[in-house]
Amino acid sequence: MNRTKIIIADDHTLFADGLEQIVHSLDSFDVIGKVTDGKMLMQKLNTAVPDMILMDVNMPFLNGMEAARKILGLFPKMKIIFISMYNNVQLTEQAKKMGAAGFIMKDVTAPVLKEAILNVNKGLTAFPAAAAPAIVPGFPGDDDPFLLQYKLSPRELDILQLIKEGNASKQIAGILDLSVYTVETHRKNIHRKLQVQSTAELIALAHRMSK
């Protein structure tokens, strides 16, 4: 009987250890590696390719969403289950669109998590019926710096990065081959979406978002 190989990616060691125990309690499942950030995960895949990855969304150096995009580009059939503390509709929808197999909250019970792993291993998906918009006590809300980036379009994220690097609108326009008016319009939309008033406040928030 073929055994299912799993890699766990989570920067919270105690949670990762508990997750490993849950996987080991399942028949024919093996944890072949544990890593604590997205870059380590990509490096691990150079030497060991699992059947499934259980990964956090918000990890250092390379977050789970970006790591998953890279992994699915290299291994389109890879089964990825996000296990996150973010109960967020935008993240769940992005996970579905990129081809992830599941998105599970970290506060689920062990039987629910086991069922999700087993279902995904059979080729099914494991997504919540609907991500709750309400703030769960002890869990991040939609104003969490990590989640804020998902309110912005790819172009707005590009402009935000250039603002963070100290570029003025004219410089940004030249770099992105846009008009200054278009850049200024994007900047206004970024300020509105992130609810900031000044460039200094925006830059400070951008640094918090990238941590």
Side-chain angles (χ1 to χ4, degrees):
M1 185 182 214
N2 291 333
R3 300 186 67 82
T4 300
K5 301 184 293 294
I6 291 180
I7 287 178
I8 295 170
D10 197 295
D11 59 327
H12 295 95
T13 304
L14 285 176
F15 181 82
D17 289 345
L19 194 53
E20 183 177 20
Q21 291 180 14
I22 289 173
V23 171
H24 282 158
S25 72
L26 298 170
D27 290 335
S28 302
F29 284 78
D30 295 316
V31 174
I32 63 169
K34 288 192 298 181
V35 296
T36 57
D37 63 65
K39 283 189 176 180
M40 288 180 64
L41 176 58
M42 299 306 298
Q43 292 168 356
K44 183 70 176 177
L45 292 176
N46 289 327
T47 57
V49 179
D51 303 295
M52 187 184 302
I53 300 173
L54 308 178
M55 64 192 305
D56 194 6
V57 171
N58 189 5
M59 296 186 292
F61 304 115
L62 182 66
N63 72 55
M65 301 298 281
E66 293 304 318
R69 285 191 184 91
K70 291 177 181 289
I71 291 166
L72 290 169
L74 296 169
F75 307 100
K77 294 184 179 180
M78 181 67 69
K79 296 169 182 174
I80 295 176
I81 301 178
F82 289 109
I83 303 177
S84 176
M85 62 194 302
Y86 294 104
N87 191 16
N88 180 269
V89 175
Q90 291 154 310
L91 283 180
T92 304
E93 288 305 312
Q94 284 208 24
K96 287 181 182 178
K97 288 178 182 177
M98 75 169 62
F103 195 104
I104 305 295
M105 289 291 291
K106 281 188 173 181
D107 63 346
V108 299
T109 62
V112 170
L113 182 54
K114 288 180 182 179
E115 182 180 10
I117 294 171
L118 292 171
N119 283 341
V120 166
N121 195 50
K122 294 175 185 175
L124 305 175
T125 58
F127 289 96
I135 295 175
V136 180
F139 282 66
D142 285 341
D143 60 347
D144 180 272
F146 175 76
L147 289 181
L148 287 175
Q149 63 190 295
Y150 294 98
K151 293 184 176 182
L152 304 180
S153 69
R155 176 60 81 195
E156 288 167 347
L157 286 171
D158 289 340
I159 289 173
L160 179 60
Q161 177 62 33
L162 291 169
I163 293 171
K164 188 175 76 169
E165 292 171 2
N167 294 285
S169 292
K170 188 174 181 180
Q171 293 170 301
I172 294 171
I175 293 169
L176 299 179
D177 195 23
L178 300 171
S179 70
V180 174
Y181 175 79
T182 298
V183 172
E184 287 294 336
T185 300
H186 280 305
R187 291 185 72 142
K188 288 177 183 177
N189 289 334
I190 293 169
H191 278 249
R192 175 178 54 79
K193 289 180 179 180
L194 300 185
Q195 299 182 343
V196 295
Q197 303 301 318
S198 67
T199 299
E201 188 180 358
L202 178 63
I203 291 172
L205 180 56
H207 281 288
R208 287 166 53 208
M209 287 166 62
S210 62
K211 286 183 178 180

